[in-house]
Amino acid sequence: MTSTIIKNGTIVTADLTYKADIRIEDGVIAEIGPNLKGGTELDATGCYVMPGGIDPHTHLEMPFMGTYSADDFDSGTRAALAGGTTMVVDFALPNPGQSMLDALTMWDNKTSRAACDYSFHMAITWWGEQVFNEMETIVRDKGINTFKHFMAYKGALMVDDDEMFSSFQRCAELGALPLVHAENGDVVAQMQAKLMAEGNDGPEAHAYSRPPEVEGEATNRAIMIADMAGCPVYIVHTSCEQSHEAIRRARQKGMRVYGEPLIQHLTLDDSEYFNKDWDHAARRVMSPPFRSKAHQDSLWAGLASGSLQCVATDHCAFTTAQKRTGIGDFRKIPNGTGGLEDRLPMLWTFGVSTGRLTMNEFVAVTSTNIAKILNIYPKKGAILVGADADLVVWDPKRGKTITAGAQQSAIDYNVFEGKEVMGLPRFTLTRGQVAVEEGAIKSQEGHGRFVSRPPLTAPAKALSTWKELTAPRKVERTGIPASGV
Ligand SMILES: NC(=O)NCCC(=O)O
Ligand SMILES: [Zn+2]
Ligand SMILES: [Zn+2]
């Protein structure tokens, strides 16, 4: 058996910071302690050794808006590893009327070149008896405990309240967690049509058509529907105070609601859409759009105070040529931006280095919290004996200027172009295998494995116990007057 030892580093987890070495055997952490010896040694002097990042929100090779997102499981997972992320969770999207099991097979077929571990969320894109039945198979047999619901993209992926309430109730029965893209798709569609009719056809109109109110209303609605269905709910790409406020309020009332800001929304603002260069603005079109600095402050505060739990990327990268489909009609610009390679360095630079986050909070919001939410902790998101050796040896003195020319992503630009980041992986290890060393990519195509996620029994049981205790009950009465008297 070959061992790898990470020596002389400082271990940083979501709750502890301490000096120790780590021995890895057969892809898992075998020992943690001082002065470990033997095997291949990786020098972590001056570095922090942290659980590898988990990105809970990616769209690799996703069919969307008449095209496919440009990064697949090869370039996407390479980009992830280059930036210290060791697991991605992608979305399987059935076409309306399509079996979820067929969709899952289609998505499984995309993953043969994955260089890091991955899992799937399943999307609810239509509703019927077949969906109701297959949800059980997806949870019990396929290792997927999350179902995504789009309240936006009218006429495509969008589901209505009726469908969402039915699905959420099924999630409650199965111990599954609904995820929600919360934007009011009906309002967006009308605002888009109005803007176009007024001649507002550029990328800035994308932002005008999706104001924070559209997101706040939908977030609040999703949370209330989840509460009535008796299930927790996870709001993806929380971008604004209106949405954050709804999440915060619900959590204060004891509801199990989670919020996920993106690194893009934390660090880029809506001035990007007013750039005179059409390509520049269109490359940044995503939903929800970038917001003002006041909204960014709200998101940072939510991460520090614990009302928001995870930082993701929603990595859904389109080339400039793909974006140009929307010249003359902003509604046709494929929605999505990249970020997989940049999430950790950007969050470290603009979060930890500025004092907005502690190192432990950084680990929590990039890895541990989502591992717990998705029920894969401590296999992932932990530095404990027996955990997968998905690790990043983080060099706080290693820096770079982000540029598309040096990235792993297949697209021809980077929305963070020119940003100076300080803090990069010295090593990234995926199940003990070195995939990145001092900037050199050594990842292995096909190394990635599917990570099965069992039902969320603990929160589901707590919620169903409470719901049962507080359920409507008929009042038994004696001496009821005869009717009509
Ligand atoms: N976010 C975005 O604009 N594109 C990806 C699909 C989604 O998550 O809504
Ligand atoms: Zn979305
Ligand atoms: Zn997404």
Side-chain angles (χ1 to χ4, degrees):
M1 185 176 356
T2 54
S3 307
T4 302
I5 307 220
I6 302 178
K7 283 201 72 72
N8 308 320
T10 299
I11 295 178
V12 180
T13 68
D15 46 13
L16 291 173
T17 304
Y18 61 104
K19 282 197 92 70
D21 299 341
I22 298 175
R23 180 196 306 284
I24 299 161
E25 272 163 18
D26 290 334
V28 299
I29 296 173
E31 190 179 1
I32 304 168
N35 305 318
L36 302 184
K37 293 204 168 41
T40 310
E41 294 192 352
L42 303 178
D43 182 25
T45 305
C47 291
Y48 301 114
V49 185
M50 305 187 286
I54 300 171
D55 192 334
H57 190 159
T58 69
H59 301 281
L60 302 175
E61 208 184 323
M62 175 200 190
F64 192 42
M65 299 183 73
T67 184
Y68 280 82
S69 59
D71 280 316
D72 58 13
F73 277 82
D74 173 29
S75 61
T77 55
R78 230 183 316 115
L81 288 163
T85 288
T86 51
M87 179 175 168
V88 299
V89 192
D90 213 83
F91 294 81
L93 302 166
N95 292 318
Q98 187 188 19
S99 152
M100 289 196 281
L101 301 173
D102 290 349
L104 189 57
T105 306
M106 284 169 61
W107 255 262
D108 264 340
N109 289 342
K110 297 174 197 258
T111 59
S112 60
R113 296 170 75 193
C116 70
D117 287 358
Y118 59 90
S119 193
F120 291 118
H121 309 289
M122 176 56 65
I124 301 291
T125 51
W126 61 288
W127 190 250
E129 201 181 331
Q130 187 184 351
V131 177
F132 177 92
N133 291 333
E134 286 184 354
M135 282 175 80
E136 181 165 15
T137 314
I138 292 291
V139 174
R140 302 258 152 87
D141 302 341
K142 301 294 180 186
I144 293 177
N145 60 20
T146 39
F147 291 93
K148 171 80 176 281
H149 304 75
F150 291 90
M151 297 171 82
Y153 306 130
K154 188 170 178 170
L157 297 165
M158 179 168 140
V159 285
D160 63 22
D161 292 356
D162 190 34
E163 294 166 318
M164 223 163 52
F165 187 46
S166 302
S167 169
F168 283 16
Q169 289 177 87
R170 187 65 170 143
C171 285
E173 287 165 6
L174 296 171
L177 173 68
L179 316 185
V180 177
H181 171 137
E183 288 183 301
N184 186 320
D186 289 318
V187 172
V188 169
Q190 281 210 32
M191 290 182 79
Q192 287 177 324
K194 183 164 181 289
L195 284 155
M196 277 300 290
E198 291 163 355
N200 233 321
D201 63 9
E204 65 283 5
H206 175 78
Y208 292 142
S209 70
R210 310 178 100 98
E213 290 70 24
V214 151
E215 188 182 339
E217 182 280 326
T219 303
N220 197 51
R221 185 156 36 103
I223 290 170
M224 296 305 153
I225 291 174
D227 189 47
M228 289 182 276
C231 63
V233 65
Y234 180 104
I235 310 296
V236 302
H237 47 47
T238 303
S239 78
C240 61
E241 162 59 14
Q242 281 83 341
S243 175
H244 177 200
E245 188 267 338
I247 295 167
R248 212 166 51 222
R249 183 159 30 89
R251 288 175 66 85
Q252 276 168 354
K253 289 170 85 177
M255 298 179 195
R256 291 173 199 279
V257 179
Y258 310 107
E260 170 206 84
L262 306 182
I263 191 63
Q264 296 91 317
H265 288 123
L266 286 161
T267 59
L268 301 172
D269 65 51
D270 52 2
S271 63
E272 305 279 0
Y273 299 118
F274 302 101
N275 195 296
K276 294 277 186 204
D277 177 1
W278 190 96
D279 283 335
H280 179 104
R283 287 164 173 161
R284 284 145 182 91
V285 162
M286 66 168 301
S287 298
F290 301 161
R291 306 294 192 190
S292 70
K293 294 209 184 306
H295 292 291
Q296 292 182 338
D297 286 341
S298 166
L299 302 181
W300 283 109
L303 292 173
S305 66
S307 51
L308 300 173
Q309 289 68 43
C310 312
V311 176
T313 62
D314 191 7
H315 187 99
C316 186
F318 296 99
T319 62
T320 303
Q322 289 175 302
K323 291 278 186 181
R324 285 184 181 166
T325 321
I327 292 176
D329 185 346
F330 71 90
R331 294 171 299 184
K332 299 195 172 123
I333 302 171
N335 286 201
T337 58
L340 256 171
E341 186 168 343
D342 311 307
R343 179 179 65 130
L344 265 58
M346 284 292 291
L347 192 72
W348 185 273
T349 304
F350 294 95
V352 178
S353 301
T354 59
R356 290 205 200 240
L357 295 177
T358 67
M359 292 194 294
N360 309 93
E361 286 162 352
F362 174 86
V363 173
V365 301
T366 55
S367 184
T368 306
N369 288 353
I370 193 65
K372 290 180 180 173
I373 291 168
L374 298 181
N375 206 14
I376 49 174
Y377 184 86
K379 174 182 169 67
K380 302 291 186 190
I383 299 188
L384 291 171
V385 171
D388 282 357
D390 280 6
L391 298 167
V392 60
V393 177
W394 193 257
D395 186 344
K397 296 216 160 63
R398 196 180 171 86
K400 69 173 182 183
T401 306
I402 294 178
T403 180
Q407 73 190 7
Q408 299 302 316
S409 167
I411 62 170
D412 54 321
Y413 62 93
N414 186 312
V415 294
F416 302 111
E417 183 79 28
K419 297 273 186 209
E420 308 274 351
V421 288
M422 186 56 77
L424 286 171
R426 180 179 292 175
F427 301 104
T428 307
L429 289 88
T430 154
R431 276 182 285 104
Q433 196 173 100
V434 175
V436 176
E437 179 169 0
E438 303 275 357
I441 308 298
K442 302 181 161 185
S443 61
Q444 191 191 315
E445 260 183 53
H447 168 81
R449 286 193 205 141
F450 176 75
V451 180
S452 180
R453 299 182 284 116
L456 306 152
T457 37
K461 182 160 188 318
L463 257 173
S464 61
T465 304
W466 179 247
K467 285 288 169 189
E468 173 52 30
L469 264 174
T470 55
R473 282 195 175 72
K474 181 175 164 59
V475 178
E476 299 301 340
R477 296 187 171 86
T478 52
I480 302 172
S483 64
V485 176

PDB file of all heavy atoms in Angstrom, residues 57 59 148 314, ligand 3:
ATOM      1  N   HIS A  57     -23.307  23.572  -7.522  1.00  0.00           N
ATOM      2  CA  HIS A  57     -24.175  24.124  -8.575  1.00  0.00           C
ATOM      3  C   HIS A  57     -23.373  24.340  -9.850  1.00  0.00           C
ATOM      4  O   HIS A  57     -22.743  25.386 -10.031  1.00  0.00           O
ATOM      5  CB  HIS A  57     -24.772  25.441  -8.061  1.00  0.00           C
ATOM      6  CG  HIS A  57     -25.859  26.007  -8.917  1.00  0.00           C
ATOM      7  ND1 HIS A  57     -26.786  26.903  -8.444  1.00  0.00           N
ATOM      8  CD2 HIS A  57     -26.168  25.814 -10.222  1.00  0.00           C
ATOM      9  CE1 HIS A  57     -27.610  27.235  -9.411  1.00  0.00           C
ATOM     10  NE2 HIS A  57     -27.250  26.594 -10.510  1.00  0.00           N
ATOM     11  N   HIS A  59     -23.401  23.460 -14.332  1.00  0.00           N
ATOM     12  CA  HIS A  59     -24.135  22.977 -15.518  1.00  0.00           C
ATOM     13  C   HIS A  59     -23.104  22.668 -16.586  1.00  0.00           C
ATOM     14  O   HIS A  59     -22.710  23.551 -17.354  1.00  0.00           O
ATOM     15  CB  HIS A  59     -25.106  24.035 -16.028  1.00  0.00           C
ATOM     16  CG  HIS A  59     -26.141  24.461 -15.034  1.00  0.00           C
ATOM     17  ND1 HIS A  59     -27.268  23.718 -14.771  1.00  0.00           N
ATOM     18  CD2 HIS A  59     -26.216  25.549 -14.239  1.00  0.00           C
ATOM     19  CE1 HIS A  59     -28.007  24.338 -13.849  1.00  0.00           C
ATOM     20  NE2 HIS A  59     -27.385  25.453 -13.508  1.00  0.00           N
ATOM     21  N   LYS A 148     -34.484  19.875  -8.162  1.00  0.00           N
ATOM     22  CA  LYS A 148     -34.420  21.297  -8.515  1.00  0.00           C
ATOM     23  C   LYS A 148     -35.718  21.746  -9.181  1.00  0.00           C
ATOM     24  O   LYS A 148     -36.262  21.046 -10.037  1.00  0.00           O
ATOM     25  CB  LYS A 148     -33.245  21.501  -9.489  1.00  0.00           C
ATOM     26  CG  LYS A 148     -33.135  22.868 -10.134  1.00  0.00           C
ATOM     27  CD  LYS A 148     -32.498  23.870  -9.200  1.00  0.00           C
ATOM     28  CE  LYS A 148     -32.288  25.222  -9.877  1.00  0.00           C
ATOM     29  NZ  LYS A 148     -31.116  25.242 -10.759  1.00  0.00           N
ATOM     30  N   ASP A 314     -22.651  28.146 -10.075  1.00  0.00           N
ATOM     31  CA  ASP A 314     -23.644  28.014 -11.153  1.00  0.00           C
ATOM     32  C   ASP A 314     -22.897  27.995 -12.492  1.00  0.00           C
ATOM     33  O   ASP A 314     -23.359  28.595 -13.474  1.00  0.00           O
ATOM     34  CB  ASP A 314     -24.649  29.169 -11.075  1.00  0.00           C
ATOM     35  CG  ASP A 314     -25.846  28.974 -11.976  1.00  0.00           C
ATOM     36  OD1 ASP A 314     -25.977  27.895 -12.576  1.00  0.00           O
ATOM     37  OD2 ASP A 314     -26.650  29.921 -12.077  1.00  0.00           O
TER      38      ASP A 314
HETATM   39 ZN    ZN B   3     -27.919  26.893 -12.308  1.00  0.00          ZN
END
